[in-house]
Amino acid sequence: MKKWSFLLLFSFVALQAFANDGYKLWLQYYSINNSSYREIFSSVYIEGESSTIDAIKDELARASKGMFDEDVVESSDEGANLRIQLYDQGLRDVIPEDEMNSLSEQGFFIKEINYNGASQVLITAKSQIGLLYGTFRFLQKIQKNEKLPTYGFKDAPTIEHRILNHWDNLDRTVERGYSGFSIWNWHRLPRHIDQQYIDYARANASVGINGTVLTNVNANSLILTPEYLEKVAALAEVFRPYGIKVYLTARFSSPIELGKLETADPLDPEVKKWWADKVEEIYDYIPDFGGFLVKADSEGQPGPHNYKRTQAEGANLLADALKPYNGIVMWRAFVYSEESPEDRAKQAYNEFKPLDGQFRDNVIVQVKNGAIDFQPREPFHSLFGGLEKTPLMMEFQITQEYLGHDTHLAFLAPMYEEILQTDTHAKGEGSTVSKIVSGQLFNHSLSAIAGVSNIGSDRNWTGHHFHQANWFAFGRLAWNPEEKSSNIADDWIKLTFSSNEEFVRPVKDVMLASHEMVVNYMTPLGLHHIMAWDHHYGPGPWVTGKHREDWNSTYYHQASEYGIGFDRTAEGSDALKQYHPELEKQWSDPETTPEKFLLWFHHLPWDYTLENGEILWDGLAKRYQEGVDEARSNVEVWRSLEGFIDAERYEHVLSFLKIQAEEAEWWKNACLLYFQQYSQKPIPEGVEKPEKDLEYYKSIDPKFVPGI
Amino acid sequence: MKKWSFLLLFSFVALQAFANDGYKLWLQYYSINNSSYREIFSSVYIEGESSTIDAIKDELARASKGMFDEDVVESSDEGANLRIQLYDQGLRDVIPEDEMNSLSEQGFFIKEINYNGASQVLITAKSQIGLLYGTFRFLQKIQKNEKLPTYGFKDAPTIEHRILNHWDNLDRTVERGYSGFSIWNWHRLPRHIDQQYIDYARANASVGINGTVLTNVNANSLILTPEYLEKVAALAEVFRPYGIKVYLTARFSSPIELGKLETADPLDPEVKKWWADKVEEIYDYIPDFGGFLVKADSEGQPGPHNYKRTQAEGANLLADALKPYNGIVMWRAFVYSEESPEDRAKQAYNEFKPLDGQFRDNVIVQVKNGAIDFQPREPFHSLFGGLEKTPLMMEFQITQEYLGHDTHLAFLAPMYEEILQTDTHAKGEGSTVSKIVSGQLFNHSLSAIAGVSNIGSDRNWTGHHFHQANWFAFGRLAWNPEEKSSNIADDWIKLTFSSNEEFVRPVKDVMLASHEMVVNYMTPLGLHHIMAWDHHYGPGPWVTGKHREDWNSTYYHQASEYGIGFDRTAEGSDALKQYHPELEKQWSDPETTPEKFLLWFHHLPWDYTLENGEILWDGLAKRYQEGVDEARSNVEVWRSLEGFIDAERYEHVLSFLKIQAEEAEWWKNACLLYFQQYSQKPIPEGVEKPEKDLEYYKSIDPKFVPGI
């Protein structure tokens, strides 16, 4: 007698669903056995009433049902197993006042205490949002079956505004989105609130994300009209209990498009009045509206330059309108000249440096992690440590525009961590990017961090199951920019899949190595911006002849018979001058430049000798091969883990890993064949020779690539 | 002590998930108690091996797990509780050969038999697909807790090809789609097969749908290129075990666009060769490719008219190419003249009638249910009963382009049934449309029926949970065009939600009355095509002045001080002449015309006396009010059913029902205010007066309405 199950294998974990589309993200609340927390929900005391308290109760109910197949039982007795309440005098004996005082508004304290001889877990905070954050953190501990530290633990975010940016258009296409379409069903709003909006809020609150920009930086002014403001207000109402503020992108020309004014000049009184009135209207709809995110004077977007005004004048126009309501302006620094003679890497710094200190106090300048555009690896943006009097916020990209779109596993926490921990030397040693973003280094109270979302209508939100980890990681690093990638990976795997160490360990290894792997098979040794034209899907080192020099791949790699790489030293574009002297010095000399940045800063001959004695060409080729080998190895590692998790997600991930391995090979072959035209050197030993020729790779022309 | 559950109520049914996004459609396999079938899966004998057998096993496993929380146990013993095998001599004693002989290839027989003194359920058929269909039907019986009839039962489809038409574009937008975006992720195909493709196949096979056209009738020739054919082939491979053939829309100008020929003239030898070669290539990729669906010479699509050839010449071009491979051409009759002097309702008949009998035997002409365009109610298309020598297939619309888009509950089985059961009188009494579509009336072996899909990327596939019922209903009527709406509703409710009669009864009443309700609050008494311009969302009886007369609402309602309605009698456009004499006679006189068609065929004064003595204006207004009243009543009915099903679907449906009630009022107000300009009569007693004025309704201009 043969027991059938699904065509696909059942999971080993008892009661685990055999089908799992990944919708529940890291809030699976999968069943656990042998948990010391089993009784925790049988007696729960929660003090207070509000929509946030309701959110807490809802989450506890889900967790209790999922993990222990039990309902939560409320207790009116403060001696319950689990106690959740705002801090008050009555708790002085278990948590000293000065400890709580040092905790910020959004922080929480979790501690196992003794109440009349019985053990109790206490979650307390200074705000209800703090209680919510504490609850989520505690539930994560339960899922991972982790004990609480003896003296409890507290946590609070260091960065104030932790924000997702959705590049979602009103027609529901998502720019640089590879996970389907926008989750905002504008047509059905405001009257229909989809469960997905609530689950979005839950997921974000669970990692401490407290803001969301709903619309694309290539903005549509319609979002500021009443028809849409009431839809936005409906979403804001769903998010509010979860501590998530709503922001919108503001199109600079809105006074003309909506107000029928003749101009959008930031110094024009009618324009100022128009924005003042518009903002007042917005706050009628959304009393806690966060503010505006603005992309201006960039890639065709209207801006102050149209009126010969500065970026500061543009930002201040909006800042003044928002000030009475405590709204902020996040003004993007991604500006590059229409006429473009200068190295793209220098332009934002050149534009903004002279403006340092000229922004209103509710303006924060939003800066991409690097000065080109979200490449697999970039040195940190010179504006970090460049502007001192102006608060800066980090813009990370979570969606993988340049890192393989939907099918490439690349855990980005190591990439984020690398940037955040880089020492800018702006105020001596230890002037890390993280300390600038948290506001600490230059003493700014306004601090923020943004992540360009990878969320869409795909059933698992992010296309690739492992891309959920990057949304999670962004939240974790936004909360604590000093957090370690290894911890983030560990938590995510356990919350999303399984706590079985035989699964966790190899998967964590794969994740932690994956960013470097992608760098290797796409853009090793500091290469950058050599993706296919426009959609950026697949390799395109041959892209040239475009309308702007700095839209050409050839501009960025500068490959010739002599060598390859972009000279950013004093002999070249001298972008290095924008960094502080310690780094300028270190990066000026190829011999002292970390090899990961070599071709970012230097134009070197094909036979330049690398650290390990290999010539540049060989080292380049070998890194491509390393990336491919690792992508293939990941398929085998994953295969060996069949049975540890549900079949549906297992198969889905396997499918994508195989695609990734094929595409890694595509990248390697296309790039090496192309560059070989210039190096005139053979593919080195140990590197697989491409079977097809360069023309084949140049002819690859996929249609309807998502994201554009 | 208070037990919390979700903020939303838990379902009463034990073990039912508290969250249900509706993804599992009518294949919920929810847990049932007190079932006589409880032991059925504890011993199952299945004979044979194939991918279809695997599909059967997979479905049994899902059903067993869901309904009884048990695994299926295979038995090698023919004496198992459940026995599934192809018919052979060994079964002669339990099912006589002549009974099986009369069953078609796709049919099945289910019977409880005696095997060595023990009771056994036997599912048998002449093909493995028949076994699959029988399995699905049997599982439905189990879910509904229905006993098998004593002598068993058999069933077989009467229509040969039962096909979904997806108006999906390659960029994943869906024309007239209100359920998100296309489920075909072309970019990830062919390498990634999503679980949703498998579930799509399961859902369709469960109601006997055996074909799918993957692309929009407004065709993109790229689908015929190798890059896309390999993606199509990957989907065909997923569908094949479930008996579902793949078809594509063929753009008539493909020889020019793809082949770089100078012409697409159907009589040109190079063009013929191009199609022959292209079809050969397609069958290399997909050996059981179904054939082409073609929209030509219609709304800007290229076609034979461009070369002064007939529709038959155009269709035969493709038919000849497909013939060697047994492929078919479904040639759409939705043709109307570019110059349009003639009543739109007459044009397709005028075009195709002279061509009767001129089509190859593998061509079937695809005809919309009515001669205008999928209105809430239309008399049947005069081509049914008009063409005799040419096989005709029905094209129903499942997506609610003119029936409220995503948020209006309208169970369409009664609408389909009404059409199918209409007597055309083509060959005396009893010449129903159903008998024409099944091929029976005019003795055609090639028979087919198409439904324009309402499926998209929304988590529940169809936007509105109740719209799943229309996909289900289409399948049921395609299988058996004589099926009754009441049975379909009953089954769907029980499979999708609950078998509790206290729930089923009121919900069924709502469903069965819903089509008429929508007709009442949108287009009562035969009104048609008065929706908003272009997107068709909401009322637009004022639409006029468009490029073509027959794009104007005013053209269709002809409202004036005199009266309203389109005269299709001999005094008017004489479209009636295209119907057989019995109907021509009945519909020529307003007094004998069924009131549901009154203004479809007649232009009548505002004080024309209706059957019940009311004047036309009053009757019109009262029907609008009736529709609104019923939409409001449905909200209350649904509210009274809270707790019978999971909270998530309950809330979702409630939300949409409220929207529907509001929009029904919108329709009523806009239309009555507009028509009142002409009737110059007061809103009658019993009809709510609109609070806003006509200008308000005319100014409603929603942006980014889905579907276009």
Side-chain angles (χ1 to χ4, degrees), chain A residues 413-433:
Chain A
M415 182 175 86
Y416 302 153
E417 187 181 353
E418 183 181 320
I419 292 285
L420 289 166
Q421 296 312 317
T422 306
D423 196 333
T424 66
H425 294 275
K427 284 176 76 170
E429 206 172 298
S431 303
T432 56
V433 171

Side-chain angles (χ1 to χ4, degrees), chain A residues 10 49 57 73 97 108 114 135 184 189 225 263 308 325 358 366 380 386 417 434 455 459 469 489 544 546 620 643 653:
Chain A
F10 274 104
E49 279 184 18
K57 292 182 183 182
V73 179
E97 269 187 276
F108 55 83
N114 193 291
T135 299
W184 316 129
L189 285 162
T225 58
T263 178
K308 303 196 179 345
Y325 312 91
Q358 292 183 25
Q366 181 163 320
F380 70 93
E417 187 181 353
S434 63
I455 292 162
R459 296 190 64 80
T544 198
K546 296 303 173 188
L620 199 73
V653 170

Side-chain angles (χ1 to χ4, degrees), chain B residues 30 51 57 67 103 157 247 272 276 316 354 367 427 457 463 497 504 511 541 572 592 617 644 675:
Chain B
Y30 56 84
S51 54
K57 292 181 182 181
M67 294 194 283
L103 204 63
Y247 302 76
K272 292 188 192 189
N316 294 342
V367 182
K427 282 176 79 171
S457 59
F497 285 120
V504 175
M511 288 175 72
T592 52
W617 166 252
F644 279 95
F675 289 132

Side-chain angles (χ1 to χ4, degrees), chain A residues 2 188 191-192 406 663, chain B residues 74 188 191 406 655 663:
Chain A
K2 186 175 67 186
R188 292 181 196 160
R191 293 176 298 184
H192 178 70
D406 40 358
E663 297 201 344
Chain B
E74 181 183 7
R188 292 181 196 161
R191 292 176 298 185
D406 40 358
S655 178
E663 296 201 347

Side-chain angles (χ1 to χ4, degrees), chain A residues 36-37 40 80-83 91 93-95 109-115 117-124 138 141-142 146-154:
Chain A
S36 57
Y37 291 109
I40 195 83
N81 293 344
L82 174 63
R83 179 172 170 185
L91 292 174
D93 295 335
V94 290
I95 300 177
F109 214 123
I110 306 177
K111 190 170 183 182
E112 196 160 352
I113 65 177
N114 193 291
Y115 189 91
S119 174
Q120 170 184 87
V121 172
L122 166 70
I123 302 176
T124 189
F138 180 55
K141 285 230 171 283
I142 297 176
E146 278 175 18
K147 283 192 174 3
L148 292 172
T150 315
Y151 299 103
F153 81 99
K154 61 181 179 180

Side-chain angles (χ1 to χ4, degrees), chain A residues 516-533:
Chain A
E516 199 66 43
M517 164 184 68
V518 175
V519 170
N520 276 339
Y521 65 66
M522 284 193 186
T523 51
L525 292 173
L527 285 173
H528 50 289
H529 212 288
I530 59 172
M531 288 72 187
W533 167 243

Side-chain angles (χ1 to χ4, degrees), chain A residues 1-8 10 15 18-19 21 23 42 44-46 54-55 57-58 60-62 65-66 69 71-75 170-173 178-182 185 187-188 191-196 199 220 222 227-228 242 405-407 457-464 537 648 651-653 655-656 658-659 662-663 666 701-706, chain B residues 1-8 10 15 18-19 21 23 42 44-46 54-55 57-58 60-62 65-66 69 71-75 170-173 178-182 185 187-188 191-196 199 220 222 227-228 242 405-407 457-464 537 648 651-653 655-656 658-659 662-663 666 701-706:
Chain A
M1 304 225 284
K2 186 175 67 186
K3 265 186 163 39
W4 295 322
S5 59
F6 257 69
L7 293 183
L8 319 170
F10 274 104
L15 299 183
F18 40 69
D21 64 3
Y23 178 77
S42 63
V44 181
Y45 171 82
I46 294 192
D54 287 342
K57 292 182 183 182
D58 178 58
L60 292 175
R62 288 171 185 271
K65 197 76 189 169
D69 198 22
D71 292 326
V72 176
V73 179
E74 182 181 8
S75 167
L170 299 183
D171 63 1
R172 298 189 71 190
T173 54
Y178 313 106
S179 310
F181 294 84
S182 176
N185 192 316
H187 181 67
R188 292 181 196 160
R191 293 176 298 184
H192 178 70
I193 298 302
D194 202 75
Q195 178 64 36
Q196 186 158 25
D199 294 330
N220 188 322
L222 279 179
E227 179 185 356
Y228 279 90
Y242 291 89
H405 286 208
D406 40 358
T407 51
S457 59
D458 277 359
R459 296 190 64 80
N460 67 3
W461 302 80
T462 58
H464 200 312
Y537 169 62
E648 189 176 342
E651 292 291 342
H652 193 291
V653 170
S655 178
F656 276 23
K658 289 188 206 169
I659 292 173
E662 286 181 26
E663 297 201 344
W666 170 27
D701 179 30
K703 312 293 184 297
F704 295 107
V705 178
Chain B
M1 307 226 285
K2 185 175 69 187
K3 263 188 161 43
W4 295 322
S5 60
F6 260 69
L7 294 183
L8 319 170
F10 274 102
L15 299 183
F18 40 69
D21 64 5
Y23 177 77
S42 62
V44 181
Y45 171 82
I46 294 192
D54 287 342
K57 292 181 182 181
D58 179 57
L60 292 175
R62 289 172 185 269
K65 197 77 189 168
D69 198 22
D71 292 325
V72 175
V73 180
E74 181 183 7
S75 167
L170 298 183
D171 64 0
R172 298 188 73 190
T173 54
Y178 313 105
S179 310
F181 294 85
S182 177
N185 192 316
H187 181 67
R188 292 181 196 161
R191 292 176 298 185
H192 179 69
I193 298 302
D194 202 75
Q195 179 64 35
Q196 187 158 25
D199 294 329
N220 188 323
L222 278 179
E227 179 185 356
Y228 280 90
Y242 291 90
H405 287 207
D406 40 358
T407 51
S457 59
D458 277 0
R459 294 190 65 78
N460 66 4
W461 302 78
T462 57
H464 199 312
Y537 169 62
E648 189 175 341
E651 293 290 342
H652 193 290
V653 171
S655 178
F656 276 24
K658 290 188 206 169
I659 292 172
E662 285 179 27
E663 296 201 347
W666 171 26
D701 179 30
K703 310 293 184 296
F704 295 108
V705 178

Side-chain angles (χ1 to χ4, degrees), chain A residues 86-360:
Chain A
L86 291 174
Y87 186 78
D88 62 25
Q89 297 295 307
L91 292 174
R92 256 180 316 173
D93 295 335
V94 290
I95 300 177
E97 269 187 276
D98 55 2
E99 275 225 66
M100 279 310 287
N101 286 344
S102 70
L103 205 63
S104 74
E105 274 300 296
Q106 298 182 46
F108 55 83
F109 214 123
I110 306 177
K111 190 170 183 182
E112 196 160 352
I113 65 177
N114 193 291
Y115 189 91
N116 290 349
S119 174
Q120 170 184 87
V121 172
L122 166 70
I123 302 176
T124 189
K126 287 151 90 168
S127 69
Q128 296 198 333
I129 291 301
L131 292 181
L132 180 68
Y133 289 151
T135 299
F136 271 114
R137 189 70 65 83
F138 180 55
L139 292 176
Q140 290 168 18
K141 285 230 171 283
I142 297 176
Q143 179 75 94
K144 292 183 294 167
N145 229 348
E146 278 175 18
K147 283 192 174 3
L148 292 172
T150 315
Y151 299 103
F153 81 99
K154 61 181 179 180
D155 202 2
T158 35
I159 298 173
E160 183 184 2
H161 303 291
R162 307 174 294 281
I163 306 177
L164 282 184
N165 289 178
H166 292 271
W167 285 2
D168 294 21
N169 297 311
L170 299 183
D171 63 1
R172 298 189 71 190
T173 54
V174 180
E175 189 161 340
R176 308 306 178 182
Y178 313 106
S179 310
F181 294 84
S182 176
I183 58 171
W184 316 129
N185 192 316
W186 295 113
H187 181 67
R188 292 181 196 160
L189 285 162
R191 293 176 298 184
H192 178 70
I193 298 302
D194 202 75
Q195 178 64 36
Q196 186 158 25
Y197 306 153
I198 300 170
D199 294 330
Y200 171 88
R202 293 175 50 235
N204 281 311
S206 76
V207 289
I209 289 168
N210 64 356
T212 176
V213 186
L214 301 173
T215 48
N216 194 358
V217 289
N218 292 320
N220 188 322
S221 57
L222 279 179
I223 196 67
L224 304 179
T225 58
E227 179 185 356
Y228 279 90
L229 287 176
E230 64 166 358
K231 299 170 193 283
V232 174
L235 287 174
E237 191 170 331
V238 175
F239 301 155
R240 197 168 288 117
Y242 291 89
I244 298 164
K245 275 194 189 178
V246 157
Y247 301 76
L248 297 172
T249 48
R251 191 166 165 79
F252 203 76
S253 51
S254 297
I256 301 172
E257 288 158 17
L258 301 181
K260 307 302 177 201
L261 300 188
E262 301 278 312
T263 178
D265 182 341
L267 300 192
D268 183 293
E270 273 195 38
V271 170
K272 292 189 194 191
K273 180 174 191 324
W274 188 87
W275 281 109
D277 292 342
K278 175 54 66 181
V279 167
E280 180 181 6
E281 182 183 30
I282 292 173
Y283 279 89
D284 279 340
Y285 281 96
I286 309 156
D288 57 352
F289 179 67
F292 293 136
L293 168 62
V294 184
K295 170 180 179 177
D297 293 324
S298 172
E299 302 184 326
Q301 292 299 305
H305 275 184
N306 298 137
Y307 308 98
K308 303 196 179 345
R309 307 295 184 197
T310 70
Q311 300 295 308
E313 286 168 323
N316 294 342
L317 165 72
L318 301 177
D320 289 340
L322 288 161
K323 184 67 177 169
Y325 312 91
N326 294 323
I328 65 172
V329 174
M330 298 170 288
W331 189 270
R332 278 174 109 231
F334 183 56
V335 174
Y336 54 96
S337 161
E338 299 294 311
E339 294 82 41
S340 90
E342 185 69 275
D343 176 7
R344 166 96 74 96
K346 298 175 68 178
Q347 296 203 20
Y349 183 101
N350 288 344
E351 180 89 17
F352 282 81
K353 181 73 171 164
L355 303 173
D356 196 14
Q358 292 183 25
F359 296 88
R360 298 284 192 265

